[in-house]
Amino acid sequence: MKRDEASGADGTGSRGLLSEEPFTGKIAPGQAPAQLGFVAGVILRERLPAFERLLWRACRGNVFLRQAEIDRPLEDPATGDSVNKTVFIIFFQGDQLKSRVKKICEGFRATLYPCPETPVERREMAVGVMSRIEDLSTVLSQTTDHRHRVLVAAAKSIKTWFIKVRKIKAIYHTLNLFNLDVTQKCLIAECWVPVADLEYIHDALRRGTARSGSSVPPILNRMETQIPPPTFNRLNKFTRGFQNLIDSYGIASYREVNPAPYAIITFPFLFAVMFGDAGHAVIMILFGGWMILSERKFEGKKGSEIWNIFFGGRYILFLMGLFSMYTGLIYNDVFSKSLNIFGSSWFTNKIRMSEDVLLETKDHIMLDPRDCYTQYPYPVGVDPVWQVAENKISFLNAYKMKISIIIGVLHMLFGVSLSIWNHIYFRRMVNIFCEFIPQVIFLLLLFFYLCILVFHKWVWFGPLGGNASGPYCAPSILIAFINMVLFKDAEKQPTGCDSPLLYSGQETIQKVLVVCALICVPWMLFIKPFILRSQAKKQAYAFVETVIVPRGDEETALAPNGSSPQAGGGGHDGHGHGEEFDFSEIMIHQGIHTIEYVLGSVSHTASYLRLWALSLAHAQLSEVLWSMVMKIGFGFTNVGAGAVVIYVIFAFWAVLTVSILVLMEGLSAFLHTLRLHWVEFMSKFYLGQGYAFSPFCFRDILAAAEGADE
């Protein structure tokens, strides 16, 4: 065999595999020209060397192979991968070699193609192949264009189609929950419906029947069931954010008092007590107001999770900003500075001060409220003179700490008072007498009395009170409250003070209050379990005293009032004759509830001191940021350099103000406010053991489907 490596490297790759030049060799006289056969095809490029060696050995060199690499990778029809192939043509003589060559090609999975023997036929075949290729290219091009037009048209309606399909699937899924009646012609469904919407649902059913052309009129009946209904609160875009905060704690039971309407006021107010800065409040108001004004633009658009949280609580942010503006004006704190709008009520009375005192103090002057105070407070909020006072922190600490206790006690009292509506609606009269009344009395006699002492000290003791009611002789309220609980006598006052008491008869009154408060503890602990046990015994006796009345082949037990005992309801707190009354379980439960309330009243009152702590921290951080950053720009005497420096420093100060004082401090105050509502306020009356009403709503179904797709 004569091997010819026909490739681009030896210069023959550019020539055709079959040369159409005429044969010019000489043939011996009397000898016919040899008839050569050939096969042509393609093979994987990596299989070509082994393919050549096997041809050489199997055919003993009696074949002639010529090959050329295909420059462009081809797609494998079986796998779809791109592969590199080589086209080849093999010349041989005789049928035996032909069959042997074809078997070798099959073994190497080479693809053979028919090739005519004469040049004319080959040219005709090439023309036919080219024409078919052109036809296929035209068809593929037209198909691609048509597919593109179809997809473009479908893209305009694909979202609508998805919505329609999801709606249809939701409808059929709901219809599968229906039951068929006896006639197999009507569907029967049991569902929860708001009572206020019954007439609207009647109209909707009538309209649906008229449009469908049905001859069967719709029937809507109210059913009695022992299953607790779901909770449904009618919301709008303003109240939805506050309701979501409450629902995060727990869904209200059916007809349970909903804290959300009250949280609309109390939540931003408690936040504002901790975030009391009018300047920072303006930033929050502007951000919340911008989201409210642009809500139509952003509604329905997908955004990041953080943006969705902010946008969902836009009304909460706006109200928190408004309330913070109010408390900022009360604290007289605007970016850690005070506003002197009405003029300070303090003044420096230099006439009554000797010149020696003024020379010694120079920069600092002690203002005596007896001589340097107009005796009329600043009209709104804190007097601006305290901004420059050295004892500013001491004064504001005492003020904010007492305010926090007062707000906390009032907030808890309000929560306890809301529990009476639950007791009245659910007809738990025992809870009113054994829980609500002693809880209110306990809270009033101890902690509300503490608030009264605070107001008494503010009103009674002053700089003009002399020895009896001067500030030097004012007793400590904390020490007085501790002595009250421990039944200790008041400690002796400093020399020159008349009495160590806040008012006459204080010790006697406080002992009576503590004794009455302690009586409330066994009142809450023991009375309710014994009353429930007595009621359970009466119901058990009424159940036993039955009359056996024969009726046909059965005997029915009737209670004395003539009703079936199985139809009777449970007793108070779910303990009727239908279930066994466990006195020890009730006693343990009541003991836990009593201990939780008594200890919680103390810890929850102390927990409201976070209002004072966060307010102090926010004010101090704001003041430190001003003194260590913004104040540097005002120290330059050169106007030009000072202007440039102030421009740069103001940008740095603004970034820190927004990122730290507004975002981080605002988030901290928000979380603390949420805790005060969940633990200190709602625990007094709210159980949150219900489940939400989920109506058939296409909007919710589509939103859930989009969330699942993401």
Side-chain angles (χ1 to χ4, degrees), residues 235-475:
L235 305 174
N236 52 39
K237 58 186 179 182
F238 176 73
T239 59
R240 180 168 285 106
F242 293 96
Q243 188 64 52
N244 289 337
L245 295 179
I246 303 301
D247 292 343
S248 299
Y249 177 84
I251 306 296
S253 303
Y254 182 67
R255 304 296 290 178
E256 187 180 17
V257 173
N258 185 15
Y262 313 106
I264 294 175
I265 300 300
T266 59
F267 192 91
F269 177 73
L270 293 182
F271 173 86
V273 173
M274 294 181 279
F275 195 78
D277 190 297
H280 302 154
V282 170
I283 299 175
M284 190 172 293
I285 291 173
L286 293 176
F287 181 60
W290 171 72
M291 288 192 294
I292 292 173
L293 294 176
S294 306
E295 61 183 9
R296 292 186 178 179
K297 175 182 177 182
F298 295 111
E299 276 183 345
K301 290 186 177 181
K302 297 180 181 179
S304 63
E305 184 177 359
I306 296 178
W307 166 254
N308 292 335
I309 293 174
F310 277 107
F311 184 73
R314 57 193 180 278
Y315 289 98
I316 301 177
L317 287 173
F318 187 74
L319 280 183
M320 290 192 303
L322 289 179
F323 278 79
S324 298
M325 173 74 76
Y326 166 74
T327 55
L329 295 177
I330 295 298
Y331 296 157
N332 205 349
D333 201 354
V334 183
F335 294 116
S336 76
K337 297 301 172 184
S338 297
L339 299 178
N340 191 0
I341 300 175
F342 304 101
S344 176
S345 298
W346 294 79
F347 58 90
T348 55
N349 192 352
K350 297 183 179 180
I351 299 177
R352 298 188 182 183
M353 294 183 181
S354 62
E355 295 182 359
D356 296 336
V357 175
L358 293 176
L359 291 175
E360 290 175 1
T361 56
K362 292 184 181 179
D363 297 334
H364 301 83
I365 299 177
M366 178 68 73
L367 300 181
D368 191 341
R370 292 175 296 181
D371 303 326
C372 304
Y373 184 61
T374 61
Q375 304 305 322
Y376 295 100
Y378 192 71
V380 179
V382 178
D383 196 297
V385 74
W386 290 105
Q387 178 66 31
V388 296
E390 287 188 349
N391 58 340
K392 170 188 175 182
I393 296 180
S394 301
F395 169 74
L396 292 179
N397 269 354
Y399 167 71
K400 292 182 178 180
M401 182 169 57
K402 294 180 177 65
I403 286 293
S404 300
I405 295 297
I406 294 171
I407 293 174
V409 172
L410 294 178
H411 199 214
M412 290 190 296
L413 273 174
F414 180 61
V416 175
S417 64
L418 288 177
S419 65
I420 192 173
W421 301 111
N422 289 331
H423 300 326
I424 293 175
Y425 177 81
F426 294 109
R427 298 180 181 178
R428 298 192 294 247
M429 300 306 170
V430 176
N431 291 2
I432 297 178
F433 178 74
C434 299
E435 291 183 0
F436 172 73
I437 295 178
Q439 286 176 358
V440 172
I441 293 175
F442 183 84
L443 208 58
L444 288 175
L445 296 184
L446 292 182
F447 301 102
F448 189 73
Y449 172 74
L450 177 63
C451 299
I452 294 176
L453 292 182
V454 172
F455 281 104
H456 175 73
K457 185 175 180 180
W458 280 346
V459 175
W460 184 256
F461 293 91
L464 303 179
N467 293 336
S469 58
Y472 176 71
C473 298

Side-chain angles (χ1 to χ4, degrees), residues 506-563:
Q506 175 184 350
E507 293 182 342
T508 304
I509 294 176
Q510 290 183 165
K511 290 179 181 179
V512 174
L513 295 179
V514 173
V515 171
C516 294
L518 293 176
I519 293 175
C520 294
V521 177
W523 185 356
M524 289 185 286
L525 179 60
F526 295 109
I527 296 181
K528 179 181 175 180
F530 284 98
I531 292 178
L532 293 179
R533 187 176 69 171
S534 175
Q535 292 177 350
K537 288 182 178 179
K538 291 180 180 179
Q539 292 176 356
Y541 294 150
F543 179 71
V544 171
E545 295 175 359
T546 58
V547 180
I548 305 301
V549 179
R551 188 181 61 187
D553 295 335
E554 301 179 354
E555 291 184 349
T556 305
L558 296 180
N561 58 2
S563 62

